[in-house]
Amino acid sequence: MAIAILVIFGLALGSFVNALVWRLREQEKSTKSKGHSKTGDLSILGGRSMCPECRHGLSVKDLIPVLSWLSLRGKCRYCSKPISWQYPVVELTTSALFVASYIWWPIEFNNFGLTNFAVWLVCLVCFVALTVYDFRWLTLPNRIVYPLIVLAAAMVVANVAVF
């Protein structure tokens, strides 16, 4: 049961990683162009998912990780432009990393172990986002790096305090 939940959770967060990476890049581009395009629709947590080409808002049936991409044959429902294979690969990879982390987790799953595991999964999402961003644009965005450093440092301090 735990593995099934992690698969679904990993697919959903893999989808979030794809949106995060694309939105961060678009925000950076609009900032460099003196903000000529609206960035409100590019909010990391509040914006609606959209096609990266035509920017049409996606419906619920377009947002099912991997399955939507497969059912649409890797093309946008609205503009028919290709959607990168990156999307299902990142979703599946994130899901696989969540399951692998669970299988080989070295700490007992008590309260402390579960908290550590949850923080690790957040770090893992950040690492996947950094990997995708770096692969696409050969740079690492500080908007992911700095929070990851703080989170990792807090995790280390908590672990030292407990052990």
Side-chain angles (χ1 to χ4, degrees):
M1 181 64 154
I3 289 178
I5 291 169
L6 285 170
V7 165
I8 293 167
F9 199 51
L11 288 170
L13 287 175
S15 181
F16 171 75
V17 164
N18 282 315
L20 171 70
V21 166
W22 180 77
R23 288 171 190 234
L24 285 176
R25 184 62 175 188
E26 291 298 307
Q27 287 175 359
E28 183 180 301
K29 284 176 14 185
S30 69
T31 302
K32 286 182 180 175
S33 67
K34 307 273 191 243
H36 292 299
S37 66
K38 297 187 313 182
T39 58
D41 57 345
L42 296 174
S43 168
I44 301 301
L45 296 176
R48 288 201 29 119
S49 293
M50 64 183 83
C51 170
E53 294 295 327
C54 68
R55 296 201 178 208
H56 189 281
L58 301 179
S59 68
V60 173
K61 62 185 174 186
D62 300 325
L63 298 175
I64 302 167
V66 181
L67 295 179
S68 292
W69 190 87
L70 289 171
S71 71
L72 294 169
R73 293 181 174 89
K75 294 184 180 190
C76 174
R77 178 184 310 279
Y78 308 100
C79 69
S80 297
K81 297 236 171 125
I83 298 172
S84 173
W85 55 267
Q86 166 197 316
Y87 289 85
V89 168
V90 170
E91 293 162 359
L92 290 168
T93 300
T94 305
S95 184
L97 288 170
F98 275 32
V99 170
S101 294
Y102 175 76
I103 291 170
W104 287 293
W105 188 248
I107 303 171
E108 183 181 335
F109 282 107
N110 55 22
N111 285 341
F112 181 72
L114 284 173
T115 302
N116 244 347
F117 187 68
V119 172
W120 166 250
L121 293 180
V122 172
C123 289
L124 198 57
V125 167
C126 292
F127 288 136
V128 171
L130 287 172
T131 301
V132 172
Y133 201 97
D134 188 35
F135 184 74
R136 296 281 314 262
W137 297 290
L138 302 177
T139 185
L140 297 175
N142 289 337
R143 290 180 63 190
I144 299 174
V145 172
Y146 292 155
L148 182 58
I149 290 170
V150 170
L151 186 60
M155 191 173 172
V156 167
V157 168
N159 281 316
V160 167
V162 170
F163 292 115

